[in-house]
Amino acid sequence: MDQPASLAIDCLSHGFGTKPVLHDVQLRILRGQIVALVGPSGCGKSTLLRAIVGTHLPRQGTVTVFSGNSHLTGHVVEGPGRDRGIVYQHYSLFPFLTAVENVAFGLMLDQTNISYRLFKFPRWLKRRAEHLKQAREFLDRVGLGSAASLYPSEMSGGMCQRVAVAQALIMKPALLLLDEPFGALDEAMREELQRMLLGLYQENLAARRKGELEPHTMFIVTHELNEALYVGDRVVGLSQYWDWRQAGHAQPPGATVVYDCSAPIFEPDDTRDFSCFAGQREEIRDVVFNPDSAYPREKHLRYWQELEQQREAEPAP
Amino acid sequence: MIGEPIARVWHVTLGIGAVLLLLIAYTILSMRQHRENPDDKTIPSWSQLSEGVKKSVEVNQRSNERWVVADAQATSLRLFWGVFWGVSGSLLIGMLMGCFAFVEAFLYPPLAFLAKIPPIALLAVFFVLAGTGETMYVTMIAFGVLPTLAQTVYLAVKEVPAELRYKAYTLGASHLEIIWNVLLRHVLPKLIDAIRLQIGPAMVYLIAAEMVVGDVGFGYRIRLQFKLLNMSVVYPYIVVLGAFGFGIDYALRKLQAFVSPWYAKGY
Ligand SMILES: Nc1ncnc2c1ncn2[C@@H]1O[C@H](COP(=O)(O)OP(=O)(O)OP(=O)(O)O)[C@@H](O)[C@H]1O
Ligand SMILES: [Mg+2]
């Protein structure tokens, strides 16, 4: 079965004042993928994510999100909405809610409104109990069942990020965006959370085998190449270092997608052997992070070709 | 060593000791005064004081009510309604300022200016505008606490990280829910802190106004009895006033712990 698209970015450009940041970004993400976005610091990764969330719309171009329960329909992003979840590096939780309340917050905001909660209070209480129960199940899934009644200030950074992932997942978003979610965590914590994301990817594969719609699509910004290759099934590189002179620009026009390839797929219990993608890591360093490199921007966009080959190699069902 | 904590027993003992010391010092002072002048009323003896207390709590022949009850009722009602309207107004103004740049640009200058004027100085203006009835006390307290509280609310709203607002939108919040379920939750404990600090000034305005134009209330009674040199009534009243302020502060702290348990845990 062909995977449907979850996100389409077309001709997206953005800048601040006279300073260009993003230039003509094109990107298509399929349902069920974990796409890792890498790029030099300040190249505009967060800016791109903000455009997808819809809090800061781009100057040019469109972002289209495809959402729905069984049948996906696309709509152009004009502001933040409940079909795109976000996990930030900082301020990822509401400090005035406990872990379980944080997770249930989305259910409350999405399914009820203020007048319902005030004027149909008894009914709301019943509903609330269901929400909390569901939130507890999600907390269990990220391994934090015992921390349900803790406030964010009482939890470690890693616990907070896990709660934040559960908080976003409970909404069943068409697309989950993560902006350096584990950037402030130590190595051990990072590993655990990466495994958690790989576990979610396994749920996708299971759904695909059953011919169902994959539940999780993720777009994750990271500054760690190993993390990108380990967690993602596809790595996208955004960079301002490309051959823009050849493309006819007098001034640097900003960052664009210069790298797009599939990445090795790991299972949560696999040994973390990073040597197997050492070659790809070096390639990304050279193409995306090296200020002196000036490759044509299409040169390393191999993903769709690779997908084609992969599909041909697969035995037809 | 500096900053070393002490055992709970010591805490209690030292606290009681301080109060006892104060009482003993007062007794000695008053005894010495009375040895020189047995009719002294400035530092009343314990028996004189008990007469004063009796006078304040007994039903008064002339006015047919208990002084301390009538005064406490009048003063606390004025304080309550003044603070109530002040808080309501400041919540409205502060929230609007924090949420909408238009309102912010419009109201910030006058608010910053008003916040710097001591309301006592405005007493005369209030007498002229609101008369000398109950409305005057309420308006005066409300306007006295409003600028500072509104600024507190406004700054607390501004402090909420934008990420939390964005996140709430992605969770399906409406604009109203952002205000009610995110911003207000953030602001509430800080507002209560600010109210605790503003109760002091509010009492100052109120007592001062009662001293000038009141016909009932703590300020009125203290001034009247002081004029008659009935210090045996004045001192107990001052103690009651202290307990009054302490009780309000305690209640507000409890309220804060109840509505914002997360705040005390240091976020
Ligand atoms: N609000 C803003 N006003 C002006 N310039 C901005 C603003 N936000 C971002 N920029 C600029 O846009 C560029 C891209 O910023 P962005 O935060 O998207 O980078 P990033 O790729 O996420 O970097 P990092 O890896 O450090 O998080 C930076 O050069 C930054 O200075
Ligand atoms: Mg960033």
Side-chain angles (χ1 to χ4, degrees):
Chain A
M1 190 182 80
D2 264 9
Q3 287 164 272
S6 205
L7 171 78
I9 299 175
D10 293 297
C11 315
L12 187 148
S13 298
H14 196 60
F16 295 97
T18 55
K19 180 183 158 198
V21 175
L22 295 173
H23 173 74
D24 190 32
V25 174
Q26 308 274 356
L27 188 67
R28 208 155 295 264
I29 292 180
L30 300 182
R31 182 86 185 190
Q33 292 189 316
I34 301 190
V35 180
L37 180 69
V38 297
S41 182
C43 74
K45 301 182 294 293
S46 300
T47 306
L48 183 59
L49 233 59
R50 282 196 280 266
I52 303 173
V53 179
T55 54
H56 301 74
L57 295 177
R59 283 187 181 163
Q60 278 169 34
T62 55
V63 176
T64 313
V65 177
F66 299 85
S67 56
N69 286 328
S70 52
H71 179 73
L72 297 184
T73 47
H75 73 96
V76 173
V77 168
E78 273 158 3
R82 48 98 57 237
D83 55 355
R84 284 145 289 147
I86 172 92
V87 175
Y88 293 105
Q89 180 176 358
H90 297 294
Y91 309 117
S92 54
L93 293 178
F94 298 93
F96 45 82
L97 298 175
T98 60
V100 67
E101 287 169 343
N102 257 294
V103 179
F105 201 46
L107 297 178
M108 171 180 110
L109 295 173
D110 191 40
Q111 297 176 8
T112 67
N113 56 35
I114 295 177
S115 74
Y116 176 88
R117 299 194 288 268
L118 284 181
F119 299 119
K120 302 195 173 139
F121 191 66
R123 243 187 282 175
W124 160 233
L125 274 188
K126 223 184 267 172
R127 196 78 172 267
R128 175 78 175 157
E130 281 165 35
H131 286 176
L132 289 175
K133 183 163 162 277
Q134 211 177 328
R136 270 205 191 86
E137 281 163 21
F138 268 78
L139 271 184
D140 278 332
R141 272 176 60 182
V142 297
L144 278 181
S146 57
S149 57
L150 294 183
Y151 283 98
S153 63
E154 301 171 294
M155 293 189 282
S156 72
M159 290 162 90
C160 284
Q161 292 309 82
R162 271 194 277 182
V163 175
V165 171
Q167 180 187 50
L169 283 183
I170 205 167
M171 301 295 288
K172 303 198 164 44
L175 182 64
L176 177 57
L177 303 153
L178 304 106
D179 193 352
E180 305 202 19
F182 316 141
L185 307 182
D186 67 41
E187 196 51 39
M189 206 65 232
R190 235 167 200 268
E191 260 183 59
E192 250 188 86
L193 283 150
Q194 290 167 356
R195 286 218 176 83
M196 186 183 87
L197 293 188
L198 289 181
L200 296 177
Y201 190 70
Q202 289 301 313
E203 292 179 19
N204 279 352
L205 296 184
R208 195 179 304 167
R209 277 194 294 273
K210 278 191 264 174
E212 290 168 3
L213 209 56
E214 292 93 337
H216 313 294
T217 309
M218 287 183 243
F219 194 34
I220 173 169
V221 173
T222 170
H223 61 254
E224 246 237 275
L225 276 184
N226 284 334
E227 181 168 273
L229 287 160
Y230 178 61
V231 172
D233 66 345
R234 171 180 172 193
V235 175
V236 169
L238 190 71
S239 178
Q240 63 272 52
Y241 313 129
W242 55 283
D243 195 10
W244 42 269
R245 267 181 235 281
Q246 277 296 313
H249 296 277
Q251 299 290 324
T256 193
V257 175
V258 297
Y259 186 89
D260 187 355
C261 296
S262 48
I265 290 167
F266 288 83
E267 286 188 21
D269 328 317
D270 285 350
T271 49
R272 290 159 55 87
D273 178 15
F274 294 157
S275 61
C276 68
F277 48 64
Q280 194 172 8
R281 203 166 53 216
E282 287 318 306
E283 185 186 36
I284 297 175
R285 279 228 172 89
D286 180 40
V287 176
V288 181
F289 290 89
N290 181 3
D292 302 324
S293 74
Y295 298 103
R297 54 189 273 203
E298 301 86 8
K299 184 156 187 266
H300 297 92
L301 310 185
R302 294 192 298 260
Y303 181 73
W304 298 106
Q305 244 169 293
E306 287 170 350
L307 191 69
E308 201 65 32
Q309 286 163 4
Q310 205 183 321
R311 284 201 181 131
E312 279 167 18
E314 269 173 22
Chain B
M1 236 190 298
I2 292 172
E4 200 82 350
I6 57 170
R8 175 141 187 94
V9 193
W10 276 108
H11 256 291
V12 177
T13 321
L14 286 173
I16 294 175
V19 175
L20 277 181
L21 219 61
L22 216 66
L23 292 180
I24 292 170
Y26 181 87
T27 313
I28 294 172
L29 212 66
S30 135
M31 267 161 68
R32 262 180 43 192
Q33 189 78 5
H34 281 262
R35 220 175 294 141
E36 279 168 28
N37 173 15
D39 295 331
D40 179 78
K41 284 167 87 180
T42 56
I43 312 183
S45 66
W46 288 108
S47 62
Q48 280 174 314
L49 274 177
S50 71
E51 278 299 311
V53 171
K54 225 162 100 190
K55 207 154 132 204
S56 337
V57 298
E58 260 177 0
V59 177
N60 188 271
Q61 303 290 309
R62 219 175 325 150
S63 65
N64 222 354
E65 52 185 14
R66 299 169 202 275
W67 281 356
V68 77
V69 174
D71 293 335
Q73 219 168 29
T75 300
S76 48
L77 272 181
R78 288 163 184 164
L79 186 70
F80 175 81
W81 286 113
V83 171
F84 174 85
W85 288 115
V87 169
S88 309
S90 63
L91 254 178
L92 185 71
I93 293 175
M95 276 288 179
L96 287 175
M97 280 177 68
C99 294
F100 304 105
F102 267 113
V103 186
E104 180 184 356
F106 184 68
L107 285 182
Y108 189 81
L111 201 66
F113 181 69
L114 277 180
K116 294 288 166 280
I117 304 177
I120 293 283
L122 291 176
L123 219 53
V125 181
F126 283 118
F127 291 163
V128 172
L129 291 183
T132 55
E134 292 301 302
T135 346
M136 188 275 298
Y137 298 108
V138 174
T139 0
M140 184 192 59
I141 296 172
F143 276 97
V145 298
L146 189 133
T148 313
L149 292 184
Q151 264 186 331
T152 306
V153 173
Y154 154 73
L155 290 176
V157 172
K158 286 258 145 189
E159 242 177 53
V160 177
E163 283 89 340
L164 289 186
R165 274 185 286 125
Y166 300 155
K167 183 136 198 181
Y169 279 121
T170 69
L171 296 176
S174 64
H175 299 309
L176 207 59
E177 280 175 319
I178 297 276
I179 294 178
W180 182 257
N181 290 98
V182 179
L183 301 181
L184 195 64
R185 294 290 300 266
H186 235 281
V187 164
L188 220 47
K190 289 179 189 172
L191 178 62
I192 295 178
D193 268 344
I195 296 174
R196 281 178 60 196
L197 291 177
Q198 283 298 302
I199 289 290
M203 287 287 265
V204 172
Y205 318 144
L206 180 56
I207 300 293
E210 283 179 346
M211 283 183 169
V212 181
V213 295
D215 47 14
V216 61
F218 284 133
Y220 160 77
R221 192 77 55 198
I222 288 175
R223 180 169 153 84
L224 187 71
Q225 296 302 316
F226 164 69
K227 270 187 164 169
L228 302 171
L229 224 66
N230 280 338
M231 296 312 277
S232 60
V233 175
V234 173
Y235 287 139
Y237 255 78
I238 290 174
V239 173
V240 170
L241 257 183
F244 189 66
F246 190 83
I248 293 174
D249 197 58
Y250 182 80
L252 282 173
R253 260 191 356 239
K254 284 285 162 206
L255 179 73
Q256 189 186 46
F258 178 72
V259 297
S260 309
W262 58 282
Y263 192 69
K265 302 192 176 182
Y267 77 108

